Amino acid sequence: MIQQLAFAVLTIGAGALAWRSFSRVRRNIFLGQDEDISGDNSQRWRNVLLVAFGQQKMFKRMVPALLHLTIYLAFVITQVELIEILIDGFSGQHRFFADKLGGFYTFVISFIEVLSLLTFFATFIFLARRNLLRIPRFTKPEMNGWPKLDGNLILVFEIILLIGIFTMNGTDVVLQQLDPEHFKDTGALAVSSWLGPALFGGLSEGTLLVLERSGWWLHFGMVLLFLNYLPYSKHLHIILAFPNTFYARLKPRGEMDNMDEITKEVRSMMDPEAAFAEEEVSEEMPEFGANDVFSLSWKNIMDAYSCTECGRCTSVCPANITGKKLSPRKVLMDIRDRAEEVGRNLDSGDAQFAKDEGQPLSKGNYDDGKSLFDYISSEELHACTTCNACVEACPVLINPLEPILKMRRYEILTLSQGPQDWLPMFNSLENSGSAWSIPDARDKWAQDALRQQ
Amino acid sequence: MTTLKIPTMADLAAEGRSPEILFWVGCAGSFDSRAQKVTVAFCKIMNAVGVDFAILGNEESCTGDPARRAGNEFLFQMQALQNIEVLNMYEVKKIVTACPHCFNTLKNEYPALGGDYEVVHHTQLLQSLINEGRIKMKEGGEFRGKKITYHDSCYMGRVNGVYEAPREVLQALDADLVEMKRCRSNGLCCGAGGAQMWKEDEPGDKRINIERAEEALSTGASVVAANCPFCLTMMGDGIKAKEKQDDVMVYDLAELILNNMSH
């Protein structure tokens, strides 16, 4: 009874805590602007099925893809066992499904066990890749500190979780011989039927009972810890990968979103008659492009929260490969960090963060004197060749290019800054409609060619 | 070889005609001395096989791509709206261009501003002309059996998903097509896109075109084939920097085809 009560308190408490953190993440994502999510829903579901469930894009790199697939499958399948843990925990029964499902139960748990064992090895290989083999994409400067620890912690959690599972199942198998009344027959489990007796055979019943309960609580405790850890971790991708692939842009990759507010202005410039027809002339200087999470779209911010910092984007970025400061992954990490900072400040309710201190602090009434430019430097933005390699590389359809280009727009259109080198190109475009200012007529090549024949 | 004819839309309109297809030349194709050769080569091919085309000539203006990618939406739209006005005035339906950046902007970005056209890249047109048998190749041309490597431009490849048409065109040369390690969707940028062509590199260890040129050279190919005037410049410069310009040539696909045509 005490166990049931403890279980209920822990589950509900951890659940509520997680709910709060996830709500914060949701609020932070919606700090961004609205984005038009129209278009073919069947294409969106296809993306979810192929890219998120099917992990299609992971398979560009075979070794990590197989290792990742193992852990992913183990994770998904283990949720079945979690259902049983929840039922057992609340009702005080033991292995609720064992006698009801019979052979099928043996099959499912065996399946989980085999995947778990593979996962156990995969986790160590992942740890080795991060810490011993030092795969270049895991050792870039943006990975120093918390991101590196985060990556390792998740793997350590995973190992602890697996130790919990195998302790719980292994001792259970041994206990089935000693106390068949309580420990229902699970059939011959693929791993625990030999690993259990090998590890725990010969221990006293008392010790076994303690170990079995410890394994069970460790397993469940790790699940609750994990749930509460996710909102603060890169590992959030296990959830957000699904909505993120669903909401991924369906428009052609090469299409930058048109800025309709500018179209209005350009049209009125080209046609003075239309200018008079314009209704209102705004007093305030309009802001174009993005300088903060508020001017990005919520999808850009969801991208940032979906990023698991694998660094595939950075490893294929031509600027990064040739030693420039730009790293697409860092851009995403910066957006998330900034969203977190704004979220924390909003939660503090501190009037110093309000634009108008007389009004309550809110998304619309916020100014902490900082922006995304405090995180992402112009040097990084200017190094991008818009080659789309990062967009192509992302296994969960994050678009790192979009925020980069939105920030370039802010720099040029709102701040009137940007690389000096671009000025002659801009001037030439404005004055002669050509990207280079060359005094020749545009068709001189044709005249020359016709003359030469 | 048939005599060179490069009519303008205005010429044809004066005769009360409009061509089957508009050849969008672009800034590089018009002003860059290396790219001008590609422009002329492509005109010669179209003349030879009787493609009914015209250019806009002095009525053409930059598509605005470099301005837009630099962040200057204002300038982009000024260019775009002007161009769309001209294109719509001539009731243009179909456009071919030898520049992947122009291709992308015309195809993907002009529709939002009222410019809807069927846009093809010159490698796609060449591919269909070869497939239809309108372009005929010499028996045992200059490139037969030679090692050629193909550099995917970002804006045809990754951005617009055109990987095969240029490769099929190359196959018509009977050459030995060798791929670089990073090819197709993994192709490495030449370093010019995103308006980098108009600025110095940001601080780093290496220029991107050097990295790519080294990769192209490592294939042992004697010809690097490109489909973009900016790639052409970047790859040419990279190979020069490695002092291999006497051994390895950088060509546009149109030049290679013109060289190997039997008519």
Side-chain angles (χ1 to χ4, degrees):
Chain A
M1 199 57 208
I2 293 175
Q3 234 193 113
Q4 270 166 270
L5 200 69
F7 184 88
V9 169
L10 199 66
T11 308
I12 294 167
L17 203 63
W19 178 262
R20 228 170 63 138
S21 308
F22 279 100
S23 306
R24 275 203 201 108
V25 169
R26 185 175 183 278
R27 190 266 323 269
N28 292 353
I29 288 173
F30 286 117
L31 291 173
Q33 302 268 324
D34 249 357
E35 178 161 313
D36 175 32
I37 304 292
S38 51
D40 186 2
N41 261 338
S42 63
Q43 181 56 44
R44 294 186 182 281
W45 284 113
R46 248 176 76 94
N47 282 343
V48 174
L49 279 176
L50 288 178
V51 180
F53 278 104
Q55 309 199 348
Q56 190 185 43
K57 297 207 117 190
M58 288 294 288
F59 281 86
K60 279 197 152 193
R61 301 186 194 197
M62 243 342 158
V63 173
L66 290 172
L67 294 168
H68 183 267
L69 183 70
T70 306
I71 297 188
Y72 162 77
L73 285 177
F75 172 79
V76 172
I77 300 286
T78 309
Q79 302 318 309
V80 180
E81 205 176 18
L82 195 61
I83 298 172
E84 187 180 47
I85 289 191
L86 283 171
I87 295 175
D88 288 354
F90 281 116
S91 67
Q93 302 183 58
H94 184 72
R95 295 204 180 247
F96 178 77
F97 290 123
D99 46 358
K100 293 177 184 64
L101 299 178
F104 184 64
Y105 186 82
T106 311
F107 171 75
V108 172
I109 302 293
S110 292
F111 201 66
I112 292 171
E113 284 204 329
V114 170
L115 280 168
S116 297
L117 192 64
L118 290 173
T119 297
F120 194 71
F121 295 118
T123 313
F124 279 103
I125 298 173
F126 272 153
L127 276 171
R129 283 168 61 87
R130 276 178 186 268
N131 301 289
L132 299 176
L133 302 176
R134 300 183 59 80
I135 306 281
R137 63 191 161 100
F138 296 134
T139 57
K140 297 269 171 187
E142 67 266 25
M143 296 307 285
N144 290 337
W146 166 246
K148 184 180 169 165
L149 180 65
D150 187 19
N152 283 324
L153 271 179
I154 293 154
L155 293 168
V156 172
F157 287 170
E158 186 80 46
I159 291 170
I160 297 176
L161 184 85
L162 292 169
I163 291 174
I165 291 181
F166 284 118
T167 306
M168 150 187 141
N169 286 0
T171 48
D172 200 287
V173 166
V174 181
L175 283 162
Q176 282 169 34
Q177 307 300 318
L178 303 172
D179 180 8
E181 195 60 38
H182 180 69
F183 291 95
K184 298 177 204 165
D185 184 15
T186 54
L189 298 178
V191 176
S192 290
S193 61
W194 53 269
L195 189 67
L199 289 177
F200 309 110
L203 293 179
S204 73
E205 193 173 340
T207 314
L208 284 169
L209 283 171
V210 171
L211 279 175
E212 195 278 333
R213 280 297 89 192
S214 307
W216 190 87
W217 277 101
L218 188 65
H219 179 179
F220 188 61
M222 286 312 292
V223 169
L224 294 182
L225 182 71
F226 211 63
L227 184 68
N228 277 282
Y229 180 76
L230 281 183
Y232 303 98
S233 165
K234 77 186 192 79
H235 216 54
L236 189 54
H237 82 290
I238 61 171
I239 294 171
L240 287 189
F242 299 93
N244 204 60
T245 47
F246 182 83
Y247 290 117
R249 214 183 124 92
L250 299 179
K251 286 186 205 164
R253 250 184 214 170
E255 180 185 351
M256 277 175 74
D257 283 329
N258 195 63
M259 296 175 72
D260 297 336
E261 62 274 36
I262 285 188
T263 311
K264 252 197 210 162
E265 269 192 58
V266 175
R267 277 200 203 280
S268 67
M269 260 182 47
M270 286 171 73
D271 177 10
E273 305 256 323
F276 291 109
E278 282 301 320
E279 341 65 81
E280 84 313 346
V281 181
S282 172
E283 297 275 308
E284 217 175 310
M285 260 297 283
E287 291 208 344
F288 297 114
N291 70 330
D292 212 338
V293 284
F294 306 105
S295 36
L296 290 172
S297 78
W298 63 262
K299 177 62 174 62
N300 296 142
I301 306 175
M302 185 191 264
D303 273 353
Y305 275 98
S306 306
C307 173
T308 194
E309 298 162 16
C310 71
R312 281 168 171 73
C313 52
T314 294
S315 73
V316 294
C317 171
N320 194 275
I321 288 170
T322 55
K324 278 89 179 171
K325 232 178 117 190
L326 174 64
S327 161
R329 167 175 57 189
K330 178 182 169 290
V331 171
L332 270 311
M333 292 166 73
D334 287 340
I335 294 171
R336 179 168 177 172
D337 288 347
R338 174 62 182 159
E340 286 284 313
E341 181 184 37
V342 172
R344 265 196 313 276
N345 291 343
L346 284 173
D347 286 335
S348 77
D350 193 333
Q352 65 159 315
F353 300 120
K355 203 188 285 173
D356 175 357
E357 294 200 12
Q359 298 294 317
L361 185 65
S362 73
K363 168 180 155 183
N365 181 31
Y366 182 90
D367 184 8
D368 62 358
K370 287 167 99 182
S371 77
L372 258 183
F373 282 96
D374 293 302
Y375 289 78
I376 304 167
S377 66
S378 295
E379 184 183 327
E380 290 160 72
L381 299 172
H382 297 166
C384 176
T385 68
T386 72
C387 76
N388 275 269
C390 54
V391 180
E392 169 74 31
C394 182
V396 294
L397 305 184
I398 291 169
N399 186 334
L401 180 57
E402 219 175 82
I404 292 174
L405 291 175
K406 285 181 179 175
M407 288 182 77
R408 277 191 181 182
R409 280 175 164 174
Y410 187 88
E411 217 188 8
I412 298 277
L413 298 169
T414 307
L415 302 176
S416 302
Q417 289 171 6
Q420 285 294 310
D421 293 345
W422 278 341
L423 288 180
M425 184 254 288
F426 291 158
N427 288 334
S428 174
L429 275 178
E430 192 164 356
N431 299 325
S432 64
S434 151
W436 291 281
S437 60
I438 287 172
D440 299 338
R442 200 172 174 94
D443 67 353
K444 184 168 180 288
W445 64 271
Q447 308 304 337
D448 289 349
L450 291 167
R451 209 172 309 122
Q452 270 164 26
Q453 68 175 333
Chain B
M1 185 69 64
T2 36
T3 43
L4 189 61
K5 278 192 228 105
I6 312 172
T8 62
M9 292 297 284
D11 291 342
L12 295 189
E15 297 168 21
R17 287 208 309 119
S18 66
E20 232 172 83
I21 193 163
L22 168 74
F23 174 26
W24 185 275
V25 183
C27 295
S30 301
F31 295 114
D32 178 271
S33 57
R34 179 69 190 84
Q36 283 172 345
K37 295 198 176 104
V38 179
T39 309
V40 175
F42 185 54
C43 288
K44 285 181 177 166
I45 296 173
M46 288 197 287
N47 281 166
V49 302
V51 173
D52 176 23
F53 77 98
I55 60 170
L56 279 171
N58 296 330
E59 289 184 284
E60 185 188 282
S61 201
C62 175
T63 57
D65 161 79
R68 182 169 242 197
R69 261 111 202 123
N72 200 331
E73 181 74 2
F74 201 83
L75 266 184
F76 162 73
Q77 292 200 12
M78 287 198 352
Q79 298 299 316
L81 288 169
Q82 266 174 48
N83 281 324
I84 290 167
E85 208 171 277
V86 174
L87 290 167
N88 289 353
M89 178 187 78
Y90 285 118
E91 294 177 2
V92 169
K93 299 274 177 300
K94 193 171 176 185
I95 303 176
V96 62
T97 176
C99 171
H101 296 268
C102 295
F103 169 82
N104 180 67
T105 303
L106 292 166
K107 179 174 192 280
N108 295 322
E109 299 191 325
Y110 276 17
L113 291 165
D116 284 289
Y117 319 103
E118 182 191 344
V119 187
V120 295
H121 186 241
H122 74 316
T123 53
Q124 295 173 307
L125 186 69
L126 289 173
Q127 183 207 15
S128 59
L129 290 172
I130 291 168
N131 289 351
E132 290 162 19
R134 286 170 75 183
I135 290 180
K136 290 188 190 65
M137 308 304 281
K138 279 181 209 159
E139 289 291 318
E142 194 187 324
F143 299 103
R144 188 166 171 195
K146 268 197 179 173
K147 266 191 182 175
I148 296 186
T149 191
Y150 170 66
H151 165 77
D152 285 281
S153 64
C154 304
Y155 274 74
M156 286 317 292
R158 252 187 318 268
V159 175
N160 283 292
V162 179
Y163 301 111
E164 296 312 322
R167 286 180 169 79
E168 279 187 34
V169 170
L170 283 171
Q171 264 158 18
L173 299 172
D174 239 350
D176 177 15
L177 182 61
V178 282
E179 294 286 358
M180 286 183 258
K181 199 168 158 247
R182 289 173 282 199
C183 63
R184 291 194 168 84
S185 62
N186 293 325
L188 184 75
C189 173
C190 72
Q196 296 295 332
M197 189 73 187
W198 287 270
K199 65 185 268 297
E200 289 298 319
D201 289 1
E202 299 306 311
D205 310 329
K206 202 183 196 177
R207 301 205 65 197
I208 296 170
N209 63 334
I210 304 290
E211 168 87 12
R212 188 55 164 171
E214 285 171 355
E215 192 174 2
L217 290 172
S218 74
T219 62
S222 56
V223 171
V224 178
N227 69 11
C228 166
F230 301 103
C231 297
L232 213 54
T233 303
M234 284 298 193
M235 295 306 284
D237 287 353
I239 281 163
K240 228 174 281 166
K242 302 302 286 183
E243 295 180 348
K244 292 284 184 206
Q245 70 272 28
D246 297 329
D247 311 321
V248 178
M249 300 302 288
V250 185
Y251 287 119
D252 184 271
L253 291 175
E255 296 175 299
L256 295 172
I257 292 297
L258 182 67
N259 229 303
N260 262 253
M261 274 168 52
S262 62
H263 40 131

